[in-house]
Amino acid sequence: MKRYIKLFALSSLLILGACSQDFLENEPYTDKVTENFYKTPSDAFEGLVAVYDVLQREAYGGPLLISEQASDDCFGGYGIADAQTDIEWDRFLYVSDKDMNKDVWSNAYLGIYRANILLENLGKVNWGSDTALKTRYEAEARFLRAHFHFTAAKMFGDIIPLDHTVTTSEFELPRQAPEVTYALIASDLKFAADNLGPENYSQAGNANYGRITKWAAEAYLARTFLFYTGTYGKADLAGVVSKAEATAYINDAVNNSGHGLVADFANLWLAASFENFVGEDNTEMVWAVRFNGSGKGNWDLHEGNRFQVNIAPRGGSIGRYATGWGGATVNPKLVDSYEAGDTRKAASFIDYAGENLNFDPQAREQRQYTGYSWKKYCPITNAAGTAVVEANGGNFQIDNYQDYAIIRFSDVLLMAAELNLQSNPALAQADYDRVRDRAFKNTTHRKTVSLENIMKERQLELALEGLRYFDLIRQGMTVAKAAIDNNTGDSQFNVTFRTETQGWFPLPQSQIILSNGTITQNPGWN
């Protein structure tokens, strides 16, 4: 079967899809097939944009929201009459007929498929003398392929790694051991880190902001190294990247990337700073998924950040915070863990009582009300009390526009501290101090660097950014259970982490059925 590339004028995005039986014999006038499409560098660029396009679908509340609800940082939340799925994530329950995680799985493999399509066709393009451009596109595509594989692997454990587009005889491939998947991830990221140039796109107005850089690849290598070696008890990243190499990569990102910390943590987040917001293309953003509000209510486009409405205050705008669905209410235990003087506390969470906001959970039908919700990523209203996205002609559900930060420089510093902890404790201390100093705006709150302190700092610095659950999992089931289990005396907040799941989420039931027995459900979810 030929693979067709349908060309639509959707914000310059190229949508790739499989053909129907009607198109098997004749090439349609309005479509191009992969066999004749990839001829020029411009064609290759459109194919690369199509791979990037999948990133926008990830931030609708998939791994980010699910993992935060499953962690010790948040509960399920949403409305009293809403479906119970989100409480199920919070409480580690499973209902197979809901096909839970279907979008997480399908989006990851859509991204892998599009990356493989491009990689298999780069050799058909007439690059002329610009072979460096071919290498750049290959590096970006391989990074994205690694990202999509890692997104699935950190959620589901054993997955099906694909370094090519599958044929009909491969539709029922089995899952592979983690070392097979992570060897592919590591090879792709290493290629990207070694072949991309030293550009830093986090500069105001830079048209390439959001594209993969050498520094993003080096940081992502460190992230996958720490997760894989911790989770599986290995000394290196699937035999491809040693600890010394991972450390060298992250140190390079710290010292030579040109990235740095924004002076005031609050200014990173629109709802925390308003007029003092530094903008999304700031020096701290090593890699972020870009969004905009250009869709203007068109549900067929995927330009807006559809995640933001999930965590915004339920039942109507309140103060400068725009309305949403009230998902993933924040655990007071997290809020209380910040020390006095830590500026990240007020910048990360809406404190309804502390900010004199009259939030009536019964009138708003808020489930699992804790008094706190997300300030990070919360959409805002204008001075007249209208959601900014609606004032700009958009739909508050689908046209929010804040970018989703996947790697911030503070994360790079903390990963560097962790990787240097044994081999260069003085360097680890210096990297750790930079994060603490920014949080308190002084040098008097420093602590001696240790693995325990680094992990706590990660929770405080990177709260609500989709990393906490996976940081717990890589420390082992005992640590994860001690953190996640919750019994406050109020049954609606009772949580029991089930170690028999080994921390993996359930596979979508539809994939198990389609595999004809090749794929079985993860342990603890039957």
Side-chain angles (χ1 to χ4, degrees):
M1 180 182 291
K2 292 182 179 179
R3 291 177 293 274
Y4 283 86
I5 304 173
K6 295 182 177 289
L7 301 176
F8 298 100
L10 299 183
S11 302
S12 301
L13 296 180
L14 185 71
I15 310 300
L16 286 80
C19 67
S20 70
Q21 292 294 329
D22 293 338
F23 296 123
L24 286 177
E25 303 302 329
N26 299 298
E27 181 179 325
Y29 292 111
T30 57
D31 293 353
K32 291 185 178 182
V33 294
T34 54
E35 285 76 8
N36 68 18
F37 178 73
Y38 288 96
K39 295 179 180 178
T40 68
S42 178
D43 297 337
F45 180 71
E46 290 190 50
L48 181 61
V49 171
V51 188
Y52 274 97
D53 176 49
V54 181
L55 295 171
Q56 293 177 313
R57 304 175 188 226
E58 286 189 315
Y60 292 177
L64 170 61
L65 188 57
I66 291 170
S67 66
E68 287 297 335
Q69 290 171 316
S71 80
D72 55 335
D73 285 353
C74 297
F75 297 104
Y78 287 96
I80 294 171
D82 285 344
Q84 297 294 301
T85 302
D86 299 286
I87 282 187
E88 286 154 6
W89 287 138
D90 180 32
R91 297 177 180 175
F92 297 91
L93 303 175
Y94 176 58
V95 178
S96 62
D97 62 5
K98 290 183 179 178
D99 208 14
M100 297 165 78
N101 290 323
K102 176 179 178 294
D103 289 343
V104 177
W105 181 278
S106 62
N107 286 336
Y109 278 98
L110 176 61
I112 292 167
Y113 169 75
R114 291 188 180 185
N116 283 332
I117 285 281
L118 176 61
L119 290 167
E120 290 172 358
N121 285 280
L122 287 177
K124 299 177 182 179
V125 172
N126 181 7
W127 298 97
S129 61
D130 199 356
T131 55
L133 186 61
K134 176 186 177 182
T135 301
R136 176 183 176 182
Y137 287 4
E138 180 181 356
E140 290 184 61
R142 289 184 65 173
F143 175 101
L144 291 168
R145 182 171 69 179
H147 166 73
F148 293 125
H149 275 108
F150 183 59
T151 296
K154 70 181 180 181
M155 292 281 289
F156 303 117
D158 294 352
I159 62 168
I160 306 165
L162 297 174
D163 63 357
H164 64 282
T165 54
V166 297
T167 63
T168 54
S169 64
E170 298 176 296
F171 283 172
E172 296 174 4
L173 287 171
R175 294 196 282 175
Q176 297 292 320
E179 55 265 28
V180 178
T181 297
Y182 281 90
L184 176 59
I185 292 172
S187 295
D188 281 348
L189 292 174
K190 194 173 188 303
F191 183 89
D194 293 344
N195 286 280
L196 289 171
E199 297 86 1
N200 178 329
Y201 298 140
S202 292
Q203 302 153 355
N206 192 308
N208 284 315
Y209 171 60
R211 291 184 70 170
I212 308 305
T213 66
K214 172 185 181 67
W215 319 116
E218 290 183 334
Y220 215 119
L221 259 174
R223 178 177 290 181
T224 54
F225 179 92
L226 289 169
F227 183 80
Y228 176 80
T229 56
T231 302
Y232 297 104
K234 302 293 184 179
D236 58 32
L237 181 52
V240 178
V241 177
S242 67
K243 184 175 183 180
E245 289 173 315
T247 305
Y249 278 122
I250 199 67
N251 287 345
D252 188 36
V254 170
N255 296 323
N256 301 313
S257 67
H259 287 287
L261 296 177
V262 168
D264 192 327
F265 178 87
N267 291 346
L268 287 166
W269 314 103
L270 184 58
S273 59
F274 301 110
E275 290 78 12
N276 294 320
F277 179 51
V278 293
E280 293 166 311
D281 47 353
N282 63 73
T283 186
E284 191 160 338
M285 293 302 172
V286 179
W287 184 42
V289 179
R290 302 209 67 182
F291 292 97
N292 63 71
S294 65
K296 305 300 183 187
N298 187 338
W299 287 80
D300 293 327
L301 299 183
H302 301 278
E303 296 295 281
N305 188 336
R306 301 188 186 185
F307 160 73
Q308 290 181 257
V309 71
N310 287 280
I311 52 83
R314 184 171 185 83
S317 299
I318 183 168
R320 288 295 302 272
Y321 309 116
T323 188
W325 308 138
T329 51
V330 176
N331 192 337
K333 182 174 66 173
L334 169 62
V335 180
D336 293 342
S337 64
Y338 288 80
E339 301 169 57
D342 192 332
T343 62
R344 297 172 297 192
K345 178 179 178 179
S348 299
F349 318 108
I350 300 173
D351 177 356
Y352 291 104
E355 297 179 38
N356 296 314
L357 299 170
N358 185 20
F359 188 99
D360 184 342
Q362 290 187 327
R364 291 172 178 259
E365 299 184 344
Q366 173 68 62
R367 185 169 61 193
Q368 292 180 301
Y369 178 69
T370 64
Y372 302 100
S373 62
W374 299 42
K375 189 173 290 185
K376 288 182 179 179
Y377 297 116
C378 186
I380 64 171
T381 63
N382 59 21
T386 302
V388 171
V389 65
E390 292 185 317
N392 292 333
N395 182 298
F396 80 99
Q397 300 177 82
I398 62 173
D399 291 327
N400 284 298
Y401 50 84
Q402 291 182 43
D403 293 350
Y404 165 37
I406 298 183
I407 304 173
R408 291 196 289 113
F409 189 66
S410 58
D411 186 11
V412 174
L413 288 170
L414 291 173
M415 289 191 290
E418 188 172 348
L419 283 166
N420 283 287
L421 188 59
Q422 301 302 321
S423 59
N424 193 339
L427 183 57
Q429 183 71 58
D431 290 335
Y432 174 72
D433 286 345
R434 290 178 68 180
V435 179
R436 293 279 297 177
D437 292 352
R438 195 265 296 269
F440 290 91
K441 296 186 176 182
N442 58 52
T443 60
T444 61
H445 287 79
R446 292 180 176 179
K447 294 182 177 180
T448 301
V449 68
S450 66
L451 182 59
E452 180 181 4
N453 284 341
I454 290 171
M455 298 310 296
K456 187 61 181 179
E457 205 64 33
R458 290 184 61 82
Q459 182 186 23
L460 302 175
E461 172 72 24
L462 305 168
L464 312 180
E465 296 182 47
L467 299 174
R468 173 60 175 174
Y469 181 79
F470 305 108
D471 278 346
L472 290 174
I473 295 306
R474 67 184 175 94
Q475 295 178 79
M477 293 299 96
T478 301
V479 171
K481 184 170 180 61
I484 295 173
D485 277 6
N486 193 73
N487 186 355
T488 64
D490 186 339
S491 61
Q492 67 174 318
F493 298 111
N494 287 353
V495 177
T496 301
F497 176 74
R498 296 189 295 110
T499 56
E500 63 269 26
T501 67
Q502 299 174 32
W504 307 125
F505 292 96
L507 297 169
Q509 189 66 20
S510 59
Q511 294 301 315
I512 296 173
I513 295 171
L514 288 170
S515 75
N516 290 324
T518 304
I519 297 175
T520 57
Q521 186 55 272
N522 275 333
W525 293 107
N526 290 316

